[in-house]
Amino acid sequence: MENIKGIIFDLDGVLVHTDELHYQAWKSIADKEGIFFDRTVNNRLRGVSRMESLDIILEKCDKTRSNAEKLHLATQKNDLYRTSLASLSADSVAQGVRSALLTLRERGYRLAIGSSSKNAEGILANTQLRDLFENVTDGNNISHSKPHPEVFLKAAAALGLSPAQCVVVEDARAGVDAAIDGGFVCFAMGDAADYPRADHKLNDFTDILEWLR
Ligand code: BG6
Ligand code: MG
C-alpha cells in the first residue's frame, strides 16, 4: 500500500445508507406496476445507472414498455427517492465514516467520490460531507456507468493520480469490476464484501484505517 496516495469512494451504500432509500423507491414503483422485485434483484442495481436499473427490474415483466413509458417510471422513482433524500442530515452518515475520512485526510490521502448517481452532490450537501473531498465525479460526468471504469478513471485524473496510486472503496460488484478493470486497488464491503475480484474485504468501514496507515 506504500504507493497509494488517493482514495475514491463510492457513495450510495458506502458512506451513506442511501442504497436502502433507492430500494424503497424502486420497490414502491414495482409494487404499483405489479412487477416482482426483492432485495436479491435490488443487489443487481448497485452501481448501475437509473435507466439500466429500470431495465433490470423490467426483466421480470412480460409487458413491453416504450421509451417514454420507461422515462416516466424512472422519473417517478427519482421523485420518490429525492423526497426521501430531503430528510438526510449530518447524522445520516454511516457509523464511523466521518471520523475515518478525517483521519485519512490527516494521514495525507487525497479523497474523491466516484458515484453513478446524478443525486450525489445533493446527498453530500445534505450530509455535510462535501468539503472532505477534492473531487466529485458522478452520474452527471460520465457516459458509461459501472461496471465500466470511466467514473474512477475520471476521479483519479482529477486528483492527478494514476489508478495504481488509488484505492477504490465499493459495496457493488459492478463497482468492484469497474475498479479492477481500471487498474485500481479495490476494497469491498457490504453486498460486495465476498466478491473474489476485490483485493481486500472491509468487515466494517473503519477497517480502512488498518490498511491505509
Ligand atoms: C448508484 C446506485 O450509486 O447510483 C444505483 O448504487 C443507482 O443503485 C445509481 O441506480 C443511479 O442513481 P441516481 O441517483 O442517479 O438515480
Ligand atoms: Mg454503492
Side-chain angles (χ1 to χ4, degrees):
M1 296 290 164
E2 290 97 69
N3 194 28
I4 299 298
K5 303 208 168 356
I7 314 167
I8 305 171
F9 296 90
D10 172 53
L11 177 61
D12 297 319
V14 168
L15 303 183
V16 189
H17 296 307
T18 39
D19 51 336
E20 179 64 20
L21 303 180
H22 275 294
Y23 170 71
Q24 296 295 345
W26 279 128
K27 178 72 178 151
S28 79
I29 298 292
D31 286 353
K32 193 154 64 74
E33 295 293 314
I35 302 167
F36 175 81
F37 181 65
D38 65 0
R39 289 181 185 274
T40 304
V41 179
N42 185 62
N43 282 335
R44 294 176 55 208
L45 314 186
R46 292 178 188 273
V48 307
S49 71
R50 195 179 310 156
M51 293 310 290
E52 289 168 306
S53 296
L54 178 59
D55 284 336
I56 292 169
I57 292 168
L58 293 177
E59 284 172 10
K60 298 275 182 203
C61 163
D62 295 333
K63 189 172 142 196
T64 310
R65 320 250 167 173
S66 68
N67 285 341
E69 286 170 325
K70 286 204 232 174
L71 198 56
H72 181 64
L73 289 173
T75 302
Q76 283 186 311
K77 181 268 175 176
N78 194 48
D79 289 346
L80 281 175
Y81 177 60
R82 286 174 66 94
T83 301
S84 64
L85 293 183
S87 60
L88 290 183
S89 70
D91 294 336
S92 313
V93 178
Q95 182 81 20
V97 164
R98 192 184 305 274
S99 65
L101 293 172
L102 286 166
T103 302
L104 292 167
R105 277 172 58 110
E106 281 162 19
R107 291 180 186 177
Y109 291 103
R110 319 260 315 272
L111 311 186
I113 295 288
S115 168
S116 298
S117 173
K118 294 184 172 172
N119 292 298
E121 287 283 5
I123 295 167
L124 292 167
N126 289 3
T127 53
Q128 294 168 37
L129 285 173
R130 178 63 185 86
D131 291 348
L132 297 177
F133 302 95
E134 284 181 52
N135 172 262
V136 175
T137 303
D138 64 24
N140 299 296
N141 314 122
I142 54 172
S143 318
H144 310 284
S145 81
K146 302 164 189 175
H148 194 288
E150 182 182 8
V151 72
F152 297 134
L153 294 173
K154 283 201 165 170
L159 294 177
L161 299 173
S162 69
Q165 291 176 301
C166 298
V167 163
V168 165
V169 184
E170 262 295 348
D171 73 314
R173 287 168 182 243
V176 174
D177 286 337
I180 298 301
D181 291 344
F184 297 84
V185 175
C186 187
F187 293 177
M189 54 186 275
D191 184 60
D194 293 321
Y195 188 36
R197 287 199 82 195
D199 295 292
H200 295 298
K201 169 180 180 169
L202 302 179
N203 290 311
D204 183 83
F205 182 87
T206 54
D207 292 353
I208 196 170
L209 298 174
E210 304 301 319
W211 290 102
L212 298 171
R213 294 220 154 254

